[in-house]
Amino acid sequence: MNLKSFVRDINDFPKPGIVFKDITPLFNNAKALKTASEELVKLVNNHHVDKVVGMESRGFIFAPMLASQLNAGFVPVRKKGKLPYDTIGERYGLEYGTDELEIHVDAISPGERVLVHDDVLATGGTAAAVQKLIEKLGGEVVQCNFLITLEFLNGRDKLEGLEVASLMQY
Ligand SMILES: O=P(O)(O)OC[C@H]1O[C@H](OP(=O)(O)OP(=O)(O)O)[C@H](O)[C@@H]1O
Ligand SMILES: Nc1ncnc2[nH]cnc12
């Protein structure tokens, strides 16, 4: 199945000059949704995973499914001010702005093996910030797992030494 046929380009969203990869057609199609879910699980290979971290908000769509399939827990990383318990935070820049992400202080225990999942790797700012949060809590990132990597934005350079896997590359 050609999953790329379910991704559409939206010009000048959310800001002029950005070509936004809209993945809602992939979610909308039952077969594409199932195929993408199965293929994302296969990408993880033989890694043992204790926790799957998903980033708000599009990372939340597949991360809990991955966690369930891998017999791991799910950890939400959210934008500043949204998590109710004690948090640590990290400011970061992304393709079209800056923001701050937070994680609960007790979400990951030292030594836990963590899979990071998000829909898109663009400049890598978001994923690098999440790596920092996980490592501050003593976790080890075993793979950064994406639906899409925008290779021309060189996001992999910000994730040096980490395994990066994706279903679709542009
Ligand atoms: O590699 P980067 O340049 O950091 O960009 C990638 C991030 O940008 C998007 O999130 P966004 O902050 O737009 O949030 P959303 O998921 O709530 O739309 C996307 O879902 C990734 O998290
Ligand atoms: N071009 C893009 N399309 C979709 N999500 C993104 N996140 C950052 N850049 C993006």
Coordinates of all heavy atoms in Angstrom, one line a residue, residues 18-21 58 95-96 120 122 150, ligand 2:
I18 N 5.8 27.7 4.6 CA 5.8 26.3 5.2 C 4.9 25.4 4.3 O 3.8 25.8 3.9 CB 5.3 26.2 6.6 CG1 6.1 27.2 7.5 CG2 5.3 24.8 7.1 CD1 7.5 26.8 7.8
V19 N 5.5 24.2 3.9 CA 4.7 23.2 3.2 C 4.3 22.2 4.2 O 5.2 21.4 4.7 CB 5.4 22.6 2.0 CG1 4.5 21.6 1.3 CG2 5.9 23.7 1.0
F20 N 3.1 22.2 4.6 CA 2.6 21.3 5.8 C 2.2 20.0 5.2 O 1.4 19.9 4.3 CB 1.5 22.0 6.5 CG 1.1 21.4 7.8 CD1 1.7 21.7 8.9 CD2 0.1 20.5 7.8 CE1 1.4 21.2 10.2 CE2 -0.3 19.9 9.0 CZ 0.4 20.2 10.2
K21 N 2.7 18.9 5.9 CA 2.3 17.5 5.5 C 1.0 17.2 6.4 O 1.1 17.0 7.6 CB 3.4 16.5 5.9 CG 4.7 16.7 5.1 CD 4.4 16.3 3.6 CE 5.7 16.5 2.8 NZ 5.4 16.6 1.4
R58 N 0.0 15.6 17.8 CA -0.2 14.6 16.8 C 0.6 13.3 17.2 O 0.3 12.2 16.6 CB 0.3 15.1 15.4 CG -0.8 15.9 14.8 CD -0.3 16.6 13.5 NE 0.3 17.8 13.8 CZ 1.3 18.3 13.1 NH1 1.8 17.6 12.0 NH2 1.9 19.5 13.3
E95 N 10.0 24.0 13.2 CA 10.1 24.6 11.9 C 9.4 25.9 11.8 O 9.8 26.8 11.1 CB 9.5 23.6 10.9 CG 9.8 24.0 9.4 CD 9.1 23.2 8.4 OE1 8.3 22.3 8.7 OE2 9.4 23.4 7.2
Y96 N 8.3 26.1 12.6 CA 7.6 27.3 12.5 C 7.3 28.0 13.8 O 6.3 28.6 14.0 CB 6.2 27.1 11.8 CG 5.6 25.7 12.1 CD1 5.0 25.5 13.3 CD2 5.5 24.7 11.1 CE1 4.4 24.2 13.5 CE2 4.9 23.5 11.3 CZ 4.4 23.3 12.6 OH 3.8 22.0 12.8
V120 N 5.8 13.7 12.7 CA 6.7 14.3 11.8 C 8.1 14.7 12.4 O 8.0 15.3 13.5 CB 6.1 15.5 11.1 CG1 7.1 16.2 10.2 CG2 4.9 15.2 10.3
A122 N 10.8 17.2 11.6 CA 11.2 18.3 10.6 C 12.6 18.8 11.0 O 13.5 18.2 10.6 CB 10.1 19.4 10.7
L150 N 11.2 14.7 7.2 CA 11.5 15.7 6.2 C 13.0 15.8 6.1 O 13.6 16.6 6.8 CB 10.8 17.0 6.5 CG 9.3 16.9 6.7 CD1 8.7 18.3 7.1 CD2 8.6 16.4 5.5
Ligands
LIG2 N1 6.1 20.7 7.4 C1 5.5 20.1 8.4 N2 4.4 19.4 8.2 C2 3.7 18.8 9.2 N3 4.1 18.9 10.5 C3 5.2 19.6 10.7 N4 5.9 19.9 11.9 C4 6.9 20.6 11.6 N5 7.0 20.9 10.3 C5 6.0 20.3 9.7

